[in-house]
Amino acid sequence: MPLYRDQGIVLRTHKLGEADRIITVLTRSLGKVRTVGKGVRRTKSRFGARLEPGMLVDLQCYEGRNLDTVTQAETLESWGDVCARDYDAWTAANAVLETCDRLTEEREPALQQYLLVTGALRSLAGKEHDPNLVLDAYLLRALAIAGWAPSFHDCAKCGAEGPHRAFHVVSGGAVCSVCRPPGSSAPAPETLRLLAALLAGDWMIADGSKLRHRREGSGLTTAFLQWHLERGVRSLRMVER
Ligand SMILES: [Zn+2]
């Protein structure tokens, strides 16, 4: 059976039988793969601890018909372990990994998503910024890579130059006074500036933001994510019918 070797970040694991585990890994060049770690739940397993969520590994597998099997795994970065010691970093890391799993397809190379998710985990483990800011920056950029870039300045509907006061998740972000649909919200201008900075990777502005704007920004980011992922799942159900 063909062997392959790649670097990857473990997105999730679940139990399989008595001692095995299915390990979902986003690899650098192959995209997302589902592999079986044989015997990894035994305490004497050679690489059980390396194949936990958030760990960056150098992986060797042989391809199977449905699932691949891990034959070697070396730890490159223990981000998962490091984040697990800090509650805020750990909850943020889990949300990052779960979103990455939702936004990637098996065996479809996704280098940009790979670089983004590894960058987020590195930042969380290194305590570079407020974990919630790292999470929101990750979510906004992951959505943008998936083709759902929100707008925080110009009108998301007609493109009129901003800043605009109104904000509407379903329309794609900031909306001008002409396009403004009923039910639009009016977040603080500082919140929209923060979200634009997170999307652009401008950490000077993001790190200097106030807690209330971070909270409001997290609410808008979560609403964005849920709108798009929910719709994604619904359209999948339509296809299956
Ligand atoms: Zn408009």
Side-chain angles (χ1 to χ4, degrees), residues 5-16:
R5 188 172 177 171
D6 206 345
Q7 291 184 6
I9 184 155
V10 179
L11 299 181
R12 61 191 287 239
T13 67
H14 57 268
K15 290 176 187 176
L16 178 71

Side-chain angles (χ1 to χ4, degrees), residues 53-119:
M55 305 294 264
L56 186 74
V57 289
D58 185 86
L59 202 65
Q60 185 176 291
C61 303
Y62 63 82
E63 267 179 63
R65 208 173 299 163
N66 298 314
L67 292 165
D68 305 341
T69 302
V70 179
T71 53
Q72 273 181 39
E74 298 298 333
T75 307
L76 299 174
E77 298 283 354
S78 304
W79 296 321
D81 259 2
V82 175
C83 289
R85 290 176 220 140
D86 177 297
Y87 180 78
D88 288 338
W90 183 234
T91 51
N94 275 312
V96 166
L97 295 169
E98 189 185 332
T99 303
C100 184
D101 189 22
R102 294 287 305 272
L103 290 175
T104 49
E105 301 291 334
E106 275 181 55
R107 295 275 168 182
E108 277 185 22
L111 181 61
Q112 278 185 294
Q113 293 287 5
Y114 174 83
L115 295 173
L116 195 66
V117 71
T118 50

Side-chain angles (χ1 to χ4, degrees), residues 155-160 164 174-180:
C155 175
K157 294 189 96 171
C158 73
H164 302 293
V175 278
C176 72
S177 53
V178 179
C179 296
R180 176 180 219 252

